[in-house]
Amino acid sequence: MVRKKGSLILCGAFLFVAWNALLLLYLWGRPPIGRLGEGGGAEPGGKEEWGVGRGKGGRVNLAGEVIRLAEEVEIQLETQKKLLKQIESHRAVWARQKDIGKRETDDTKVKVEVVHQPPKPPLPLKNNVDDRDQTELKHTQSPVHTVTSDSKLEQHQGTEIKEQIVKNNKLVTSVASPEVVIPILVIACDRVTVKRSLDRLIQYRPSPELYPIIVSQDCGHAETARVIGSYGDQVTHISQPDLSDIRVRPEHRKFQGYYKIARHYRWALNQVFNTFSQSTVVIVEDDLEVAPDFFEYFRALYPILRSDPTLWCVSAWNDNGRDALVDPSKAELLYRTDFFPGLGWMLLKEMWDELEPKWPSAFWDDWMRQPEQRKDRSCIRPEISRTITFGRKGVSLGQFFDQYLRYIKLNTEFVPFTKQDLSYLLKEKYDEKFIKEVYSASLVKIEDLQQGGSLRGPGPYRVQYSSRDSFKVFARNLGVMDDLKSGVPRTGYRGVVSFLYRGRRVFLAPPEGWTQYDISWS
């Protein structure tokens, strides 16, 4: 449309110039026109040529001819004035269309490049005293596009521009479709094995535009930085600027690493939400490997997390996800859990706005599990983990790794979660079915499960605990993790831990009528 109008304007301008040229040639070459009957021919060689005639009344004829020509010129000038007004009106329309077309082109370019080019340069953050320095970005910043309105445009055109600005501001979370951008934040420090994590993320990532990878590095480890930098524009590399030690109580000096991790998390999440203006994020650490359907899993669960206020995270991790404890035929099975799992988890900006002002100085994951933060909200977790950890080295010095983490099963079957109805995970639907399934299961003793002779079928079966000690004893004997955080068992929902034992579904559950967790059990 714009190109067609541009051609029309060029043709009009050409006709205008040509018309004036012809008019000048006509006026210059035109002989005098005498009165009829005086022999004033117009042809060359006539009796009276221009300026030569000496006949009677020649002077009067010349004056009249000048007046007549002046009138003709005035008429022609009026015609040309109208033509110029038409050209000017078309030029204004063309200019507006060209401006809109340019903005649309710029928008498209931003949509394509949003994965590698943050929408604005890093700024100091308001709420974090450690964020005074500028973010160090390892790529070229994209220009900021602005739109201003011409004072001569109509009021409705100004409205169009306002709508366009709003549209531009939403580019960060929408890429040419209703699909939200889900960035992956990789928390890195001094592990060069971050390469294994990044290789899998890039291998399984279906769209760089919808899943930009942001690697936030602490520690200032040069070799790790070179590994991250080797991925070029496939990732965005940012560096936590404050590498200083943190002043802690003498008895906490051995926990310096936990303090630095909490500081890094806070800074990195502020970058994602406040600097890059994202609406959600999936956080993974540099020692996690992801499953083939990792991105599909979070894409499908984003609207569930967004719509259910009783949820506050989605995790890819099953704490009891060891090979013998999960059903390999139920890769699509998902649960609600009251225990914050971490290890590949999705967080919304609204939740970060709630947590950030009171973010702890250390041990952030256990802090997340406290009732003051959880507020009776739950997370989603899978039957079979969508992440595994390969990092025995770390601040925890391999705690739980050799005993549990190294045996976690990683899902290998791609499950098309986005094509499934996951509304069963909404609290009202889930609780009714879950409670009925658990407490209608046959109540058995742990010895029955261990011996197995008197049991028929795959279950489900229920083992009941009534105290902290009985839970820990049963958990150890059945092979599930026995620790509790703020009274909540790992993977527990309403106090119930679901797992497979020797091929049978088992619910390790409190008595029917459970109401709340007892934080003294921790």
Side-chain angles (χ1 to χ4, degrees):
M1 182 72 179
V2 173
R3 191 176 298 172
K4 186 174 180 181
K5 289 187 176 181
S7 301
L8 182 60
I9 292 169
L10 290 174
C11 289
F14 176 79
L15 289 174
F16 173 77
V17 173
W19 174 262
N20 280 278
L22 290 173
L23 181 62
L24 288 173
L25 289 173
Y26 173 76
L27 292 176
W28 285 344
R30 183 175 178 179
I33 303 175
R35 292 183 182 179
L36 291 176
E38 291 186 354
E43 295 292 329
K47 294 182 179 179
E48 293 182 7
E49 293 184 359
W50 186 266
V52 179
R54 294 287 185 270
K56 185 179 179 180
R59 183 171 300 189
V60 176
N61 291 342
L62 180 60
E65 184 68 17
V66 170
I67 293 172
R68 191 185 65 78
L69 287 174
E71 289 174 350
E72 286 185 6
V73 170
E74 184 178 358
I75 293 171
Q76 294 299 327
L77 287 175
E78 188 66 28
T79 302
Q80 293 172 25
K81 183 178 179 181
K82 292 179 181 179
L83 181 60
L84 282 173
K85 286 183 177 180
Q86 291 179 3
I87 292 174
E88 180 64 22
S89 65
H90 283 294
R91 188 194 66 80
V93 172
W94 177 71
R96 291 197 300 270
Q97 292 294 336
K98 182 179 179 181
D99 184 60
I100 293 173
K102 182 178 182 299
R103 292 201 303 270
E104 291 174 350
T105 302
D106 290 341
D107 291 351
T108 304
K109 184 177 180 181
V110 173
K111 291 171 187 174
V112 173
E113 295 179 353
V114 68
V115 61
H116 303 311
Q117 298 187 4
K120 54 186 177 179
L123 299 172
L125 303 177
K126 297 178 182 178
N127 299 321
N128 192 339
V129 295
D130 296 324
D131 297 337
R132 296 170 186 169
D133 296 334
Q134 298 294 325
T135 307
E136 180 184 352
L137 293 179
K138 304 299 183 181
H139 55 71
T140 304
Q141 299 292 334
S142 61
V144 178
H145 299 282
T146 58
V147 180
T148 57
S149 59
D150 192 324
S151 60
K152 294 182 180 180
L153 295 180
E154 300 291 340
Q155 185 175 0
H156 73 275
Q157 294 164 354
T159 304
E160 281 182 5
I161 291 173
K162 290 180 182 178
E163 291 175 352
Q164 188 69 25
I165 292 173
V166 171
K167 181 181 177 183
N168 289 347
N169 288 338
K170 290 182 179 178
L171 286 176
V172 177
T173 56
S174 178
V175 178
S177 74
E179 293 186 290
V180 69
V181 171
I182 303 178
I184 311 300
L185 174 63
V186 181
I187 300 293
C189 181
D190 59 355
R191 291 189 181 108
V192 293
T193 51
V194 67
K195 184 179 189 309
R196 177 175 169 182
S197 179
L198 292 176
D199 284 347
R200 289 294 178 267
L201 285 168
I202 293 170
Q203 176 184 351
Y204 297 136
R205 177 171 62 172
S207 166
E209 289 78 22
L210 292 175
Y211 306 96
I213 298 172
I214 303 169
V215 185
S216 180
Q217 187 187 0
D218 200 0
C219 310
H221 190 250
E223 190 176 352
T224 301
R226 282 194 294 271
V227 171
I228 298 168
S230 69
Y231 288 87
D233 61 1
Q234 294 182 92
V235 304
T236 297
H237 184 193
I238 60 177
S239 296
Q240 202 280 110
D242 186 359
L243 304 181
S244 63
D245 285 340
I246 300 171
R247 296 183 63 182
V248 300
R249 303 193 305 268
E251 62 270 25
H252 272 212
R253 286 174 183 167
K254 62 181 179 180
F255 300 130
Q256 179 76 211
Y258 290 100
Y259 282 84
K260 290 185 176 181
I261 288 173
R263 177 176 67 184
H264 185 195
Y265 262 82
R266 183 179 192 176
W267 181 86
L269 287 169
N270 271 328
Q271 293 299 302
V272 170
F273 290 123
N274 298 336
T275 300
F276 296 121
S277 302
Q278 301 290 353
S279 63
T280 186
V281 69
V282 175
I283 303 130
V284 300
E285 296 190 4
D286 56 359
D287 61 346
L288 290 184
E289 181 177 331
V290 303
D293 59 355
F294 174 85
F295 295 94
E296 175 79 0
Y297 174 78
F298 284 107
R299 170 66 57 188
L301 287 169
Y302 171 80
I304 301 294
L305 177 61
R306 175 66 72 183
S307 62
D308 189 344
T310 67
L311 292 173
W312 71 322
C313 86
V314 175
S315 175
W317 180 259
N318 177 0
D319 277 297
N320 289 315
R322 294 165 63 187
D323 204 354
L325 300 177
V326 297
D327 188 343
S329 68
K330 296 291 181 63
E332 76 285 354
L333 187 57
L334 306 177
Y335 299 86
R336 294 175 68 103
T337 176
D338 296 325
F339 189 90
F340 172 73
L343 295 174
W345 56 288
M346 175 182 278
L347 175 71
L348 298 178
K349 183 182 187 303
E350 293 81 0
M351 186 56 59
W352 178 242
D353 290 340
E354 175 188 323
L355 297 174
E356 194 273 343
K358 55 180 181 176
W359 190 253
S361 56
F363 310 107
W364 69 269
D365 48 352
D366 284 343
W367 175 84
M368 290 275 288
R369 293 160 183 153
Q370 294 173 359
E372 293 81 6
Q373 280 64 251
R374 191 173 69 81
K375 297 181 179 178
D376 293 325
R377 292 173 293 202
S378 304
C379 296
I380 302 296
R381 61 98 175 170
E383 169 77 359
I384 304 176
S385 287
R386 265 59 187 186
T387 57
I388 58 168
T389 177
F390 53 84
R392 189 178 187 278
K393 171 192 172 185
V395 294
S396 63
L397 301 177
Q399 182 185 17
F400 295 129
F401 184 84
D402 291 331
Q403 188 177 0
Y404 293 104
L405 303 183
R406 65 183 299 179
Y407 300 109
I408 298 294
K409 176 181 175 61
L410 180 67
N411 180 61
T412 57
E413 175 189 347
F414 186 92
V415 177
F417 285 112
T418 56
K419 294 180 171 57
Q420 297 181 357
D421 181 5
L422 301 179
S423 62
Y424 71 90
L425 292 165
L426 299 173
K427 184 175 176 61
E428 290 184 1
K429 292 184 178 181
Y430 189 89
D431 282 11
E432 181 179 358
K433 182 179 178 181
F434 180 78
I435 293 170
K436 181 178 180 180
E437 183 180 13
V438 170
Y439 292 100
S440 64
S442 300
L443 182 61
V444 298
K445 296 180 179 180
I446 190 171
E447 294 80 10
D448 297 330
L449 287 172
Q450 290 174 330
Q451 295 169 5
S454 61
L455 301 179
R456 296 290 181 270
Y461 298 99
R462 175 164 51 100
V463 175
Q464 185 167 295
Y465 68 89
S466 56
S467 66
R468 173 183 180 274
D469 290 339
S470 62
F471 170 81
K472 292 179 91 58
V473 169
F474 292 156
R476 289 193 194 106
N477 279 276
L478 294 171
V480 298
M481 297 187 76
D482 67 340
D483 62 322
L484 304 104
K485 302 289 185 179
S486 297
V488 183
R490 291 183 184 267
T491 75
Y493 185 68
R494 297 181 58 88
V496 179
V497 176
S498 175
F499 57 96
L500 236 57
Y501 183 78
R502 296 182 180 178
R504 295 183 172 96
R505 176 62 57 184
V506 175
F507 299 121
L508 181 56
E512 191 171 4
W514 177 95
T515 56
Q516 64 182 4
Y517 294 102
D518 185 345
I519 61 173
S520 68
W521 284 22
S522 299

